Amino acid sequence: MLSDVVVPARAPWSAVIPAGRSLTITDLGGNQAVDCLVYDAHDTAVRYSAPDTIQAQGGIYLSTGSVLMSNEHTPLMTVVADDCGRHDTLGGACSKESNTLRYGHHTWSQHACVDNFLAEGARHGLGKRDLVSNINWFMNVPVEADGTLGIVDGRSAPGLSVTLRAETDVLVLVSNCPQINNPCNGFDPTPVRMTVR
Amino acid sequence: MTTATTHGARDHARAQDGTEVEAMPRVPAPDGAVWAETVAGGNYTHKVLARGTELRFTDVAGDACAHVLLYVADRPFERLNVADTVKVLWNAYPGAGHLLLSDQGRVLASVLAADAAVETVCGTSTSARNAARYGDGSPHGASPAGRELFTLAAAKNGLTPRDLPPSVSFFKGVRVDPDDGRLTFEGSSRPGASVTLRAEMPLIVLVANTAHPVDPRPDYTCTPLEVLARPGTPTRPDDPLWNSSPEARRAFLNTADHLTARGVA
């Protein structure tokens, strides 16, 4: 095992994971959204692309067998085990700014994922331009027939996990989502475990 | 005409003046327009537009696909955020009345009219994918990839590949199965279909006219795209769109707040 840490509720986390190694994300409290970006560790201009991932697998949900593709359509990581069964590619991250639109300006002083990404990304030389549509592990975002889309109650539970194998050396950036205004965390952010093997 | 001498070469070059082809910019744009251009299939274009400009894309022959990225003109680190665009307004299939949102909770552009698909899920194509599907994805090859074309358009505005987030596209529909999330490609609307945007901020507009990335046809198919922009007026509080939803109202308020603080609106 290379590392095994519990990321507190609302906190960021990052690690470089060598090719062939794996990351297991465990939803300790259940129903906790884990916002995640992946970069080529040697060239961060090459990064997770939600559209390329969706193109490659012909669908919007991630589960076992899904390959996280880069913006150059190369594989970054593969989902090799998944207890939850469905993870989101469309919803992106919460931000102080988008929270003002989604809920109202009273949310301005609350924590948000984009701030976690910016703070943790800065440790690796990443900035605002490096943030793109991210994965939300354990978050449930259905799209209805008329296109109505939204974050609804999660399908996860305490102890469920997802495991990703690095297909190349990758930098993984995570925000353990602080959102308290919608069901993505059951309105109660909880810790998650990050295990790199 | 000889081109063996400088004078001959000059005459030869100058004799091309006035040549008209189907895909070209019209300079100056006629009839009060500020941008009039036909973009060839597999090509790109870009422009900086004033706030309020009405920008219409038309699928001339029925197989255009306009991949579009938007940036705030004088601060391009504020740019289109497709995730917020679908999440904040609760819809993955935008049409007339939808807003294209920036990452800063503001409106970059509103969709004034659309009788064609506005596609938010699949983004554009890459060199690797087009090479695998059609044998080539390079920008000057027979089947240019959208990302390669965006890279060129971005560079001409001082931007790099790090500045290319997921894009939206017009004219090719994709639907998501409500049960399993699988994609279905719905093809084009019809020749003459159009999508009209209104710039709610001063914008850098990047456009790549290239085959949709999940178009299942074995041959790369992309026909000309017409672009026409006219001066207009940004959405005001008395416009029904301003209060069309609580989210839209706050997005317009945030935009006005930002521009007011800067002294530009």
Side-chain angles (χ1 to χ4, degrees), chain A residues 51-52 55 57-61 71-73 86 90-91 93 100-101 105 128-131 143 147-149, chain B residues 77 79 87 90-93 103 122 124 126 129 147 160 162-163 178-183 213 247 250-251 254:
Chain A
D52 283 276
Q55 289 171 28
Q57 64 177 10
I60 61 169
Y61 299 125
N71 52 6
E72 297 292 357
H73 218 77
R86 180 189 283 193
L90 300 185
T100 71
L101 303 187
H105 290 89
K128 183 175 177 304
R129 297 155 70 206
D130 300 300
L131 302 190
V143 178
T148 303
L149 156 158
Chain B
F77 47 86
R79 64 194 190 190
K87 173 177 63 181
W90 301 88
N91 201 308
Y93 308 147
D103 54 77
C122 292
T124 193
T126 48
R129 185 163 165 85
R147 184 173 170 78
T160 77
R162 297 196 332 158
D163 298 301
D179 295 322
D180 61 12
R182 305 296 296 173
L183 305 180
E247 297 84 7
R250 291 191 290 260
N254 281 356

Side-chain angles (χ1 to χ4, degrees), chain B residues 45-138:
Chain B
T45 189
H46 57 99
K47 193 72 82 181
V48 180
L49 295 176
R51 170 168 146 84
T53 305
E54 294 185 11
L55 172 60
R56 188 181 75 196
F57 298 95
T58 303
D59 181 357
V60 179
D63 256 319
C65 190
H67 299 263
V68 174
L69 281 171
L70 305 175
Y71 305 77
V72 179
D74 57 352
R75 46 198 309 278
F77 47 86
E78 180 173 355
R79 64 194 190 190
L80 178 68
N81 185 316
V82 171
D84 283 356
T85 292
V86 299
K87 173 177 63 181
V88 169
L89 297 170
W90 301 88
N91 201 308
Y93 308 147
H98 205 92
L99 310 178
L100 302 179
L101 298 175
S102 82
D103 54 77
Q104 293 298 295
R106 296 190 272 260
V107 191
L108 294 173
S110 48
V111 182
L112 271 187
D115 60 1
V118 178
E119 207 282 287
T120 63
V121 172
C122 292
T124 193
S125 52
T126 48
S127 181
R129 185 163 165 85
N130 277 19
R133 295 192 60 201
Y134 309 116
D136 189 9
S138 62

Side-chain angles (χ1 to χ4, degrees), chain A residues 14-46:
Chain A
S14 64
V16 173
I17 300 175
R21 297 294 192 131
S22 68
L23 166 67
T24 297
I25 306 172
T26 304
D27 184 4
L28 296 174
N31 201 17
Q32 170 65 21
V34 181
D35 290 41
C36 178
L37 285 166
V38 183
Y39 302 81
D40 182 319
H42 306 291
D43 179 3
T44 55
V46 177

Side-chain angles (χ1 to χ4, degrees), chain A residues 135-146:
Chain A
I135 301 158
N136 294 297
W137 301 111
F138 306 113
M139 194 166 91
N140 189 13
V141 183
V143 178
E144 297 176 27
D146 65 355

